[in-house]
């Protein structure tokens, strides 16, 4: 598709930092990739262009478009990456400056949780119920770019001193030569901030920096970007109207204050929506106009039509029944199930809809469910790969010692931990115990087999390594033990393993594969045709951002649910909830329904959302006024 005039202006402008304020469906990715292609035409080197975004899916899409636009191969764009992936490249190259060694390991979520649990429960003697909250606060502290300051403001969870846990946690990571997901950014920032030679090296190397979804940057993202920019060659794209991730520490103020940060900045507005029909765009504009803190723009669409309908129901069961009947009608009219979405603010709201969809035999999929890499069979196989190349990874080694069961219980593992010398990992201590014959003959034989297998796979291609483990330990028999005697569950897990082997076959080494796997924090979507047929989409609005559907039902629109009761304390929080409603509305291409119920979860007198009142007012304002005829005089 040809660029619009304003897209062309943004693409061809070079001379100062540039902010592209891109409304929903306005072609921001096309503009961003066209900008990179234009820079290459003007003599910039593709290998020296840094283009960063937040999700692997977005980075992959950006790279795919660049290959089509330029005709280059993928290896010409080594720095089209997510923030975490780009920063990890920097961290790997310079980690010895801050006391790490290569290869450096990135802990997965379950490994982080295990370390924190050990500190909170075993070392500090607190209940394990505090572990999720402590993990969340430590993550927030790192993403604030100032952990010490964060812990000054929020010093405790219950009676647990967060600063103390943080220090113990960071030392535990360092002892295992590992970082967690948030450390990648924090340590990369430290390298750029504290080592002028490293900072100047990358400022000189990157000829241009481009950033997608800039409204979602947190303080750490923004600081890293500033530390890398040289000569004002910065191009950022985003939409403050779609800033909905403050719970992940994103800070929309970076977007709104771009001109203050970069006083000579140039601003472009992309206002044409190519996705949604005009009526939907117009009403969404009216809704967001109720926010005070925003960049003004006048979004429009040249697509005629679009329907918006507000419906109120007595109960959530009535609501779900009606929505399901409408879904069935659209499917019978030929709209693919995967182009129909039921969106909600809070996940518990899905239950009534799942029950109704099942009762009518309508297939559905829950968007943003369990990550592929968090499934049990994948974690087990990854444990073998990780223990083979990261000998200090105590968590992975402990996991695989008894997978499949070998009679190595928790007491034996505790004995191995106790046997460690200072600075020795669990695997190193175990190898010494086997060599010195400190264990029973049966246990020695079992552990010796595990160690031999780890040594055998260490230098293999990652897919061959996985297949070797599966065969050596009869892994599929092990999977059957937790597939609940359910044939379909077993087949599903088997398909997951097949997919894992395929993904691993695309990498040259276990280290490279494990790095790629742990940096993926969302599942890659199926191709579009498969997606359409797999079923109606049920999703939280947060998980649906960036996606589009022909028909959208935004359900459970009641006060204290949407807007959520936790967000009613401040104007800033309420405005983010309104942005969330805006995002939900602009997922729809043609048909939009917003519903509420008086009874939900058995609780009566639920009041419909204030946002529905605002939307209804906007709809009435767009309707033509009819003139009443005066009665003729007798």
């Amino acid at each position: 598709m040809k660029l619009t005039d304003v897209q062309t202006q943004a693409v061809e402008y070079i001379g100062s930092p540039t902010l592209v304020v891109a409304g929903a469906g306005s072609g921001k990715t096309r503009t961003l990739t066209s900008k990179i292609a234009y820079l290459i035409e003007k003599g910039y080197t593709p290998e020296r262009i840094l283009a960063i975004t937040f999700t692997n899916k977005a980075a992959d899409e950006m790279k795919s478009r660049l290959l089509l636009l330029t005709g280059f191969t993928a290896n010409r764009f080594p720095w089209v990456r997510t923030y975490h992936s780009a920063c990890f490249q920097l961290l790997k190259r310079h980690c010895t400056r801050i006391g790490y060694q290569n290869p450096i390991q990135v802990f997965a979520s379950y490994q982080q949780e295990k370390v924190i649990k050990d500190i909170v429960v075993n070392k500090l003697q607190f209940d394990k119920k505090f572990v999720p909250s402590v993990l969340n606060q430590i993550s927030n502290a790192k993403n604030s770019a100032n952990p010490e300051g964060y812990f000054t403001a929020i010093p405790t969870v219950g009676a647990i001193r967060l600063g103390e846990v943080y220090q113990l946690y960071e030392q535990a990571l360092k002892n295992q030569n590992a970082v967690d997901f948030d450390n990648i950014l924090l340590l990369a920032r430290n390298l750029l901030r504290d080592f002028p030679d490293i900072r100047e090296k990358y400022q000189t190397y990157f000829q241009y920096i481009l950033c997608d979804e800039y409204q979602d940057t947190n303080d750490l993202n923004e600081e890293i970007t500033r530390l890398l920019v040289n000569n004002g060659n910065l191009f950022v794209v985003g939409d403050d109207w779609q800033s909905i991730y403050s719970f992940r520490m994103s800070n929309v103020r970076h977007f709104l204050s771009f001109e203050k940060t970069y006083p000579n900045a140039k601003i472009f507005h992309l206002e044409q929506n190519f996705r949604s029909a005009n009526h939907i765009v117009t009403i969404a504009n009216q809704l967001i106009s109720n926010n005070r803190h925003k960049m003004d723009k006048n979004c429009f669409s040249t697509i005629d039509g679009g329907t918006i309908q507000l419906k109120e129901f007595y109960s959530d069961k009535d609501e779900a029944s009606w929505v399901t009947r409408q879904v069935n009608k659209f499917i019978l009219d030929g709209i693919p199930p995967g182009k129909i979405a039921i969106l909600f603010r809070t996940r518990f709201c899905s239950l009534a809809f799942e029950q109704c969809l099942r009762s009518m035999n309508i297939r559905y999929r829950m968007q943003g469910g369990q990550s592929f890499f968090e499934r049990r069979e994948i974690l087990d196989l990854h444990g073998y790969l990780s223990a083979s190349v990261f000998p200090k990874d105590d968590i992975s080694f402990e996991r695989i010692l008894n997978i499949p069961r070998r009679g190595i219980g928790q007491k034996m593992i505790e004995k191995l931990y106790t046997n460690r010398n200072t600075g020795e990992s669990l695997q190193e201590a175990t190898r010494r115990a086997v060599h010195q014959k400190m264990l029973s003959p049966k246990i020695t034989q079992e552990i010796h087999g595990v160690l031999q297998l780890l040594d055998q796979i260490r230098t293999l291609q990652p897919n061959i390594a996985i297949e070797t483990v599966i065969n050596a330990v009869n892994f599929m028999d092990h999977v059957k033990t937790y597939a609940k005697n359910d044939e379909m569950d077993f087949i599903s897990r088997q398909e997951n393993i097949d997919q894992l082997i395929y993904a691993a076959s695309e990498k040259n080494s276990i280290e490279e594969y494990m790095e790629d796997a742990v940096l993926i924090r969302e599942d890659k979507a199926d191709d579009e045709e498969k997606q359409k047929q797999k079923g109606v989409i049920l999703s939280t609005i947060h998980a649906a951002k960036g996606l589009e559907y022909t028909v959208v039902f935004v359900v459970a629109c009641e006060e204290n649910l949407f807007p959520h009761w936790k967000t009613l304390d401040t104007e800033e929080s309420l405005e983010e909830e309104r942005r969330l409603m805006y995002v939900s509305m602009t997922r729809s291409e043609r048909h939009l329904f917003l519903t509420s119920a008086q009874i939900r979860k058995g609780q009566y007198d639920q009041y419909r959302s204030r946002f529905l009142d605002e939307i209804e007012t906007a709809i009435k304002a767009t309707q033509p006024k009819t003139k009443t005829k005066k009665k003729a005089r007798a």
Side-chain angles (χ1 to χ4, degrees):
M1 187 185 293
K2 185 180 177 183
L3 295 175
T4 64
D5 289 344
V6 68
Q7 286 173 336
T8 302
Q9 292 166 17
V11 164
E12 296 182 355
Y13 177 78
I14 296 175
S16 65
T18 303
L19 172 66
V20 178
V21 183
S26 64
K28 66 179 178 60
T29 304
R30 182 168 69 246
T31 305
L32 189 67
T33 49
S34 297
K35 177 76 174 186
I36 297 172
Y38 180 77
L39 291 172
I40 293 169
E41 282 180 21
K42 290 298 178 182
Y44 289 83
T45 307
E47 289 84 355
R48 296 175 64 185
I49 294 173
L50 174 63
I52 41 181
T53 186
F54 285 90
T55 69
N56 299 279
K57 182 182 175 184
D60 289 345
E61 182 184 355
M62 199 186 301
K63 191 170 288 189
S64 297
R65 292 196 188 198
L66 284 170
L67 302 189
L68 289 173
L69 282 171
T70 65
F72 290 163
T73 54
N75 63 353
R76 297 297 308 274
F77 299 100
W79 289 99
V80 176
R81 294 179 176 271
T82 64
Y83 264 105
H84 285 88
S85 177
C87 286
F88 192 59
Q89 303 313 304
L90 188 151
L91 187 57
K92 284 194 299 183
R93 296 176 188 189
H94 305 286
C95 65
T96 55
R97 300 282 289 271
I98 51 175
Y100 286 85
Q101 299 172 340
N102 267 314
I104 192 169
Q105 183 182 6
V106 182
F107 268 9
S109 300
Y110 84 92
Q111 293 168 307
Q112 294 175 248
E113 186 175 344
K114 196 170 189 312
V115 175
I116 291 289
K117 183 178 178 182
D118 179 58
I119 294 168
V120 170
V121 177
N122 298 332
K123 287 188 172 65
L124 302 180
Q125 303 294 304
F126 286 98
D127 195 289
K128 66 180 180 181
K129 70 180 181 182
F130 292 110
V131 169
S133 296
V134 170
L135 257 174
N136 184 57
Q137 292 296 348
I138 287 176
S139 176
N140 288 347
K142 292 180 181 181
N143 283 293
S144 75
N146 180 12
E148 292 75 17
Y150 186 91
F151 294 136
T152 299
I154 304 177
T156 59
V157 165
I160 301 172
R161 295 193 299 275
L162 288 169
E164 181 182 5
V165 178
Y166 178 73
Q167 295 300 326
L168 291 169
Y169 175 61
E170 290 302 295
Q171 189 57 55
L173 289 176
K174 196 80 172 282
N175 290 344
Q176 297 185 63
N177 199 51
V179 295
D180 66 18
F181 203 61
D182 301 311
N183 269 129
I184 294 172
L185 298 186
L186 189 66
L187 296 179
R189 187 284 305 270
N190 292 350
L191 284 167
L192 291 168
R193 182 194 64 189
D194 302 337
F195 297 91
D197 60 317
I198 294 175
R199 180 171 66 251
E200 290 164 11
K201 173 181 177 175
Y202 287 97
Q203 285 180 343
T204 302
Y205 182 77
F206 292 128
Q207 296 174 330
Y208 227 98
I209 296 174
L210 303 96
C211 178
D212 191 16
E213 303 286 8
Y214 192 71
Q215 79 282 348
D216 292 335
T217 54
N218 59 33
D219 293 352
L220 202 47
N221 300 137
E222 196 275 336
E223 186 177 354
I224 289 168
T225 305
R226 271 192 293 112
L227 287 166
L228 288 170
V229 171
N230 189 21
N231 298 324
N233 287 348
L234 175 65
F235 183 90
V236 304
V237 181
D239 183 9
D240 58 300
W241 292 9
Q242 297 186 71
S243 176
I244 58 173
Y245 292 120
S246 66
F247 66 95
R248 294 182 188 167
M249 301 298 288
S250 69
N251 186 348
V252 71
R253 293 192 191 95
H254 299 311
F255 191 96
L256 297 175
S257 63
F258 189 83
E259 289 177 281
K260 290 183 180 178
T261 306
Y262 303 98
N264 58 337
K266 182 77 171 176
I267 311 294
F268 294 92
H269 292 79
L270 305 186
E271 297 175 321
Q272 182 174 354
N273 186 317
F274 296 97
R275 174 196 301 146
S276 304
N278 185 56
H279 185 51
I280 294 171
V281 175
T282 300
I283 302 306
N285 281 356
Q286 290 299 311
L287 171 79
I288 208 69
S289 68
N290 291 289
N291 277 4
R292 282 198 312 131
H293 304 96
K294 64 183 184 304
M295 283 195 174
D296 290 329
K297 55 182 179 292
N298 181 31
C299 294
F300 67 95
S301 171
T302 58
I303 303 168
D304 291 334
T307 60
I308 304 178
Q309 189 173 347
L310 278 61
K311 293 283 290 184
E312 296 180 59
F313 297 92
Y314 176 67
S315 72
D316 51 354
K317 291 181 180 179
D318 295 336
E319 175 191 41
S321 178
W322 182 86
V323 168
T324 302
R325 292 197 301 274
Q326 300 307 307
V327 166
N328 193 49
K329 286 179 184 178
F330 281 116
I331 293 172
L332 292 174
D333 286 341
I335 294 177
K339 293 295 288 180
I340 302 172
I342 300 172
L343 308 182
F344 32 83
R345 171 65 177 84
T346 308
R347 186 173 288 276
F348 82 80
C349 297
S350 74
L351 180 58
F353 298 93
E354 291 187 67
Q355 291 169 334
C356 280
L357 289 165
R358 280 200 297 268
S359 71
M360 289 190 66
N361 293 316
I362 297 173
R363 295 178 67 185
Y364 68 89
R365 290 191 311 116
M366 184 66 72
Q367 185 87 7
Q370 186 184 34
S371 165
F372 179 84
F373 293 107
E374 292 175 354
R375 291 161 186 161
R376 181 173 175 179
E377 62 276 12
I378 306 303
L379 289 173
D380 290 346
L381 288 169
H382 274 182
Y384 276 94
L385 298 187
S386 187
S388 74
V389 295
F390 300 117
K392 290 186 177 295
D393 182 357
D394 292 349
I395 295 168
S396 292
F397 185 68
E398 179 184 333
R399 182 185 187 98
I400 64 163
L401 272 175
N402 208 36
I403 291 177
R405 290 180 180 173
R406 302 183 176 93
I408 303 171
Q410 194 58 40
K411 287 186 178 179
M412 176 57 65
I413 290 172
E414 289 172 7
K415 180 179 179 181
L416 292 169
Y417 268 117
T418 305
N419 185 52
R420 288 185 301 172
N421 293 328
T422 302
E424 198 173 39
S425 71
L426 179 62
Q427 186 177 155
E428 290 164 343
T430 303
R431 287 181 182 275
R432 182 167 52 79
V434 168
H435 180 70
Q436 295 175 0
K437 298 181 180 179
M438 298 166 60
L439 308 171
S440 71
K442 184 180 182 302
I443 294 297
T444 297
Q445 183 180 358
E446 292 286 356
I447 293 179
H448 181 65
V450 174
L451 296 172
Q452 274 191 320
L453 181 57
L454 296 180
D455 293 339
Q456 180 186 353
I457 68 173
R458 184 173 297 118
T459 56
L460 296 179
Q461 291 280 116
N463 57 311
I464 302 299
I466 293 169
E467 290 171 340
T468 301
V469 170
I470 290 171
N471 294 327
V473 303
N474 297 317
F475 188 75
M476 298 316 298
D477 288 341
H478 166 65
V479 172
K480 286 178 182 176
T481 65
Y482 57 79
K484 305 169 188 173
N485 294 317
D486 182 336
E487 184 181 358
M488 291 308 297
D489 184 36
F490 177 74
I491 290 171
S492 175
R493 293 179 189 276
Q494 194 170 38
E495 289 173 344
N496 290 339
I497 292 169
D498 291 341
Q499 177 63 34
L500 178 73
I501 292 170
Y502 171 74
S505 71
E506 298 182 311
K507 301 299 177 182
N508 295 319
S509 68
I510 294 176
E511 289 99 326
E512 183 186 357
Y513 166 71
M514 291 301 293
E515 174 190 328
D516 190 60
V518 80
L519 291 178
I520 292 175
R521 284 291 170 115
E522 76 287 326
D523 283 342
K524 293 181 181 178
D526 296 325
D527 66 75
E528 189 174 355
E529 285 308 309
K530 286 183 181 177
Q531 194 91 321
K532 286 178 183 177
Q533 302 306 326
K534 276 200 168 181
V536 174
I537 304 299
L538 271 64
S539 175
T540 64
I541 300 165
H542 284 100
K545 184 176 178 292
L547 303 176
E548 55 192 54
Y549 305 96
T550 305
V551 183
V552 170
F553 297 87
V554 186
V555 301
C557 299
E558 294 118 34
E559 285 291 296
N560 295 317
L561 265 182
F562 195 11
H564 196 274
W565 62 271
K566 287 184 178 179
T567 67
L568 300 178
D569 294 339
T570 66
E571 181 185 22
E572 189 174 26
S573 297
L574 182 60
E575 290 196 351
E576 178 161 332
E577 289 289 292
R578 190 175 283 111
R579 294 195 294 267
L580 194 60
M581 177 61 86
Y582 173 84
V583 166
S584 73
M585 294 174 71
T586 53
R587 297 314 91 204
S588 173
E589 297 169 339
R590 295 292 178 276
H591 305 287
L592 174 63
F593 301 88
L594 302 112
T595 66
S596 62
Q598 296 175 42
I599 299 176
R600 191 169 304 279
K601 286 202 305 181
Q603 296 176 357
Y604 190 67
D605 275 349
Q606 305 296 306
Y607 295 99
R608 81 171 190 170
S609 169
R610 68 189 72 190
F611 300 148
L612 295 190
D613 294 337
E614 294 169 1
I615 291 166
E616 188 169 67
T617 300
I619 291 172
K620 287 179 179 177
T622 63
Q623 292 173 344
K625 295 179 181 178
T626 56
K627 295 181 179 179
T628 55
K629 293 182 180 179
K630 292 182 179 179
K631 291 183 179 180
R633 293 188 180 185

